[in-house]
């Protein structure tokens, strides 16, 4: 006989995920934060912060608010990464190839 399932772990994980997402959304209302700010605020990695931000951007959809992005900027020549679709910080400047990039910042309006 088989089929006895013990899949009680996933719901817990997804609950934790939702909680973190709500914490991030609360933090972004009334403040402009980078992924690094968010990661220290809710104790997750920067990579996770970006994943949550992507999810938040989709779930808000302009109905419950809007994820406002202050684009990344090259610290050397001032190039602004306006057209960038992905949220993550770019690796280097396409104009001067400098790798010192001011990361994008996020808020919810
Ligand atoms: Zn540059």
């Amino acid at each position: 006989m088989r089929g006895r399932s013990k899949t009680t772990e996933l719901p817990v994980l997804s609950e934790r995920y939702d909680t973190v997402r709500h914490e991030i959304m609360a933090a972004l209302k009334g403040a402009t934060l980078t992924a690094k700010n968010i990661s220290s605020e809710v104790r997750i990695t920067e990579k996770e912060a970006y994943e949550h931000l992507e999810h938040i951007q989709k779930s808000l959809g302009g109905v419950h608010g809007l994820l406002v992005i202050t684009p990344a900027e090259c610290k050397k020549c001032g190039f602004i990464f306006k057209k960038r679709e992905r949220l993550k910080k770019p690796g280097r400047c396409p104009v001067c190839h400098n790798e010192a990039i001011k990361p994008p910042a996020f808020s919810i309006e």
Side-chain angles (χ1 to χ4, degrees), residues 74-79 93-98 101:
C74 174
K75 284 183 183 171
K76 196 174 174 189
C77 75
F79 176 81
C93 175
V95 179
C96 70
H97 306 297
N98 177 37
I101 308 291

Side-chain angles (χ1 to χ4, degrees), residues 16 18-28 41-43:
R16 167 69 186 145
D18 277 352
T19 307
V20 168
R21 187 142 45 90
H22 284 126
E23 281 174 14
I24 294 172
M25 287 170 75
L28 288 175
E41 184 107 357
V42 297
R43 295 165 185 279

Side-chain angles (χ1 to χ4, degrees), residues 28-78:
L28 288 175
K29 282 175 184 168
T32 303
L33 304 172
T34 63
K36 197 171 188 174
N37 298 149
I38 294 167
S39 72
S40 59
E41 184 107 357
V42 297
R43 295 165 185 279
I44 54 174
T45 65
E46 264 184 80
K47 185 172 170 283
E48 286 170 322
Y50 280 117
E51 283 166 12
H52 281 290
L53 283 164
E54 275 170 28
H55 200 125
I56 288 167
Q57 187 180 40
K58 279 179 203 147
S59 67
L60 286 172
V63 179
H64 308 289
L66 196 62
L67 183 73
V68 180
I69 303 166
T70 305
E73 187 181 330
C74 174
K75 284 183 183 171
K76 196 174 174 189
C77 75

Side-chain angles (χ1 to χ4, degrees), residues 5-19:
S5 68
K6 44 168 186 166
T7 51
T8 48
E9 281 169 46
L10 273 172
V12 177
L13 277 175
S14 105
E15 243 173 62
R16 167 69 186 145
Y17 187 89
D18 277 352
T19 307

Side-chain angles (χ1 to χ4, degrees), residues 40 81 89 99:
S40 59
F81 295 77
K89 181 184 151 193
E99 287 180 16

